[in-house]
Amino acid sequence: MANCGAEEDALARYRSPLVSRYASAEMGFNFSERKKFGTWRRLWLYLAQAEKSLGLPITDEQIQEMEANLDNIDFKMAAEEEKKLRHDVMAHVHTFAHCCPKAAAIIHLGATSCYVGDNTDLIVLRDGFNLLLPKLARVISRLADFAEKYADMPTLGFTHYQPAQLTTVGKRCCLWIQDLCMDLCNLERARDDLRFRGVKGTTGTQASFLQLFEGDHSKVEELDRLVTAKAGFKRAYMVTGQTYSRKVDIEVLSVLASLGASIHKICTDIRLLANLKEIEEPFEKEQIGSSAMPYKRNPMRSERCCSLARHLMTLVLDPLQTASVQWFERTLDDSANRRVCLAEAFLTADIILSTLQNISEGLVVYPKVIERRIRQELPFMATENIIMAMVKAGGNRQDCHEKIRVLSQQAAAVVKQEGGDNDFIARVRADPYFSPIHKQLESLLNPSSFTGRAPQQVAKFLKEEVRPALIPYQSQMGGKIELAL
């Protein structure tokens, strides 16, 4: 094993498929070691710059030295230092100081580990939302185009997965879009509600900074404000313990778990429609559906979304339990858990959004299959219309109801017991009792007359709610996406 090359050696160890197989390069980088430790160094720079501007004896030369080495990270040295010190932050303080000897004395001045740890997490969470939101907007946009295209196409509705009144293909899609619009709003809110931990010290009292500034409270407050602004946040949490409240993580993962639920429902619907052969996800020319059954067109993209969405939905349990056991100002049993659940939540959300975008860009509709299913069920749904037409033609409602009850049960027996087609309308045509409305039967069975205001609802919903919600993302709407492995 020692003689294996770097690539072969990597294949000999477990790698999370979230990164190695599925997630985008951008989201992978957002949770990378390079992003993390590069952000630590930038936070140390912001702190030094702010402390200098408020009168601490820090020189321009020290600041310039730090600026020149923000990305000059010796990861091997940092790993060796951490192995020796058993402390990741101090290992990187020493590693940064090694390449910034003039600034060594003022790096991390007055700060605690959570100054870089928690503030970096908040930056990464914010940036993670900024990566997810345009992807979610693109999915909504693609589905909105689909809904608009098929706004008028009647299709059999289902309640309890049993045939129900007709809807339209576009209206059903709007049910999906509405859930995703709620998710878009929730993700925006969660991102915008994030605050910076800021410069708070070891137990959140800012005691070390008050000492640095010789009891000047206004300078400590200004230091917090300056560093918060440098990190791109409008506000910092006014009170913290050693960490920001772990309830923040609950809020973040709750909206991602909710997004997972939406996508699971959408993709389950698509899987059911694929079984009915009404709508299918895209299927590539050389794609293989089954190793044993060559004819199969398995909905593998939708299945992947459902599979990963289940994982995403469970991850919110981690911050719920973590927040509940944070004793007093903090306890370290949050750390290892958060390294896993925060990253995995964003990586998983990233994957399922990319996959759903790929699905929504290539949905295939089979109108003839949809029409055939309508023909099978619509005669039964039209019975009330037939009764009303007969009454208008002078018939007795109770007599008509009994005639239809008998004929519909006979037709149902043909369908269920003999596997035949629904011949209810043929029976109505053959019965002299219904001769007064025989010429009306065609219009009475027009599927579009059974979809109510579905087309109008689609048009109004897309115009008034969906399109306006997408305006902030217009510049990021272009380009199709290829499916990951």
Side-chain angles (χ1 to χ4, degrees):
M1 185 65 67
N3 296 325
C4 290
E7 183 178 347
E8 203 170 323
D9 187 50
L11 294 174
R13 291 187 292 174
Y14 174 78
R15 295 183 299 165
S16 169
L18 293 177
V19 175
S20 65
R21 189 174 179 89
Y22 298 129
S24 67
E26 296 83 3
M27 191 62 80
F29 175 76
N30 192 49
F31 287 93
S32 69
E33 300 285 275
R34 186 165 293 281
K35 168 79 177 272
K36 175 180 177 179
F37 297 126
T39 303
W40 283 14
R41 290 194 175 190
R42 283 162 177 79
L43 287 167
W44 282 319
L45 173 65
Y46 301 155
L47 181 62
Q49 288 172 329
E51 288 174 338
K52 177 180 182 297
S53 72
L54 292 169
L56 291 188
I58 295 172
T59 67
D60 289 337
E61 192 176 22
Q62 288 173 314
I63 296 294
Q64 290 164 5
E65 189 179 51
M66 292 173 74
E67 287 176 330
N69 287 281
L70 291 175
D71 296 308
N72 178 26
I73 304 175
D74 186 339
F75 287 98
K76 183 177 179 182
M77 178 183 177
E80 291 170 351
E81 287 289 325
E82 184 173 354
K83 189 174 182 180
K84 179 173 63 177
L85 301 173
R86 309 300 295 177
H87 198 288
D88 56 349
V89 173
M90 287 309 299
H92 278 270
V93 168
H94 289 187
T95 304
F96 197 17
H98 180 75
C99 59
C100 298
K102 295 173 184 175
I106 55 93
I107 292 172
H108 200 65
L109 183 61
T112 186
S113 298
C114 284
Y115 167 69
V116 288
D118 271 30
N119 282 325
T120 292
D121 286 345
L122 289 161
I123 290 170
V124 167
L125 295 179
R126 177 198 64 194
D127 293 351
F129 279 127
N130 285 335
L131 289 172
L132 292 180
L133 280 163
K135 292 192 173 191
L136 177 52
R138 282 196 293 272
V139 169
I140 293 171
S141 175
R142 304 304 191 265
L143 290 174
D145 291 342
F146 179 86
E148 190 170 50
K149 181 177 180 181
Y150 295 101
D152 300 328
M153 181 180 284
T155 190
L156 187 64
F158 290 95
T159 59
H160 315 276
Y161 201 38
Q162 300 298 315
Q165 283 190 350
L166 300 191
T167 182
T168 70
V169 172
K171 170 63 191 305
R172 175 178 283 149
C173 183
C174 284
L175 299 179
W176 305 339
I177 295 170
Q178 181 167 252
D179 287 352
L180 294 176
C181 283
M182 293 172 65
D183 293 315
L184 187 76
C185 182
N186 289 337
L187 263 65
E188 289 173 338
R189 175 189 53 76
R191 177 199 60 188
D192 295 343
D193 282 352
L194 286 174
R195 301 190 192 186
F196 204 50
R197 178 190 176 273
V199 184
K200 297 296 195 295
T202 54
T203 57
T205 65
Q206 299 177 303
S208 58
F209 297 104
L210 192 62
Q211 185 176 359
L212 279 174
F213 289 105
E214 299 178 344
D216 190 330
H217 289 268
S218 63
K219 284 192 174 181
V220 175
E221 287 188 7
E222 181 64 5
L223 177 70
D224 204 1
R225 189 194 69 77
L226 286 172
V227 175
T228 297
K230 286 177 182 291
F233 285 81
K234 295 179 180 178
R235 299 180 298 170
Y237 296 107
M238 292 186 70
V239 295
T240 72
Q242 190 172 88
T243 69
Y244 67 79
S245 171
R246 294 312 184 216
K247 280 187 72 68
V248 173
D249 295 341
I250 297 174
E251 293 300 308
V252 169
L253 265 65
S254 290
V255 298
L256 297 180
S258 183
L259 171 65
S262 299
I263 294 179
H264 199 296
K265 183 265 193 292
I266 293 167
C267 291
T268 299
D269 283 356
I270 293 171
R271 291 165 67 189
L272 293 170
L273 289 167
N275 173 259
L276 297 175
K277 297 180 175 60
E278 292 189 7
I279 293 178
E280 287 182 342
E281 65 179 37
F283 196 89
E284 295 169 20
K285 185 177 179 181
E286 297 183 9
Q287 182 175 331
I288 295 174
S290 167
S291 61
M293 295 168 279
Y295 59 87
K296 292 190 75 177
R297 291 171 63 98
N298 297 337
M300 53 85 69
R301 292 163 170 83
S302 299
E303 290 172 321
R304 176 183 298 174
C305 284
C306 290
S307 182
L308 290 172
R310 285 201 298 275
H311 177 60
L312 178 55
M313 288 186 282
T314 65
L315 288 173
V316 72
L317 295 175
D318 278 333
L320 281 167
Q321 296 182 71
T322 295
S324 70
V325 295
Q326 286 302 287
W327 305 342
F328 304 110
E329 280 64 49
R330 85 86 49 101
T331 177
L332 196 60
D333 67 346
D334 64 334
S335 179
N337 185 285
R338 293 176 68 251
R339 286 175 195 243
V340 176
C341 71
L342 294 180
E344 288 202 355
F346 278 87
L347 289 164
T348 306
D350 179 71
I351 296 159
I352 59 178
L353 281 173
S354 295
T355 308
L356 185 55
Q357 181 184 335
N358 178 266
I359 292 169
S360 62
E361 288 172 346
L363 284 173
V364 181
V365 178
Y366 296 105
K368 295 298 182 184
V369 178
I370 293 173
E371 290 171 12
R372 182 178 184 277
R373 185 156 284 109
I374 290 173
R375 287 197 306 270
Q376 283 289 96
E377 301 294 339
L378 189 58
F380 294 148
M381 296 177 191
T383 53
E384 185 63 23
N385 290 16
I386 294 172
I387 290 173
M388 296 305 293
M390 279 295 296
V391 171
K392 287 181 181 179
N396 178 284
R397 187 193 181 282
Q398 306 313 319
D399 293 341
C400 185
H401 184 280
E402 177 60 19
K403 285 276 189 182
I404 286 179
R405 185 188 70 81
V406 172
L407 294 180
S408 62
Q409 289 189 6
Q410 290 171 350
V414 171
V415 173
K416 294 178 180 178
Q417 297 174 20
E418 301 175 19
D421 291 334
N422 188 334
D423 63 0
F424 172 71
I425 296 301
R427 292 175 185 273
V428 171
R429 288 189 191 279
D431 192 324
Y433 176 83
F434 294 98
S435 59
I437 64 165
H438 280 169
K439 292 181 180 179
Q440 299 180 46
L441 287 176
E442 199 68 36
S443 61
L444 290 174
L445 290 166
N446 181 356
S448 295
S449 67
F450 289 82
T451 59
R453 297 191 65 254
Q456 290 75 23
Q457 288 180 350
V458 172
K460 187 177 177 67
F461 175 60
L462 296 181
K463 179 182 178 181
E464 296 185 11
E465 292 196 24
V466 179
R467 303 296 187 192
L470 301 179
I471 289 173
Y473 307 98
Q474 287 299 328
S475 63
Q476 299 165 289
M477 288 295 183
K480 287 194 172 185
I481 194 165
E482 297 298 323
L483 185 69
L485 286 174

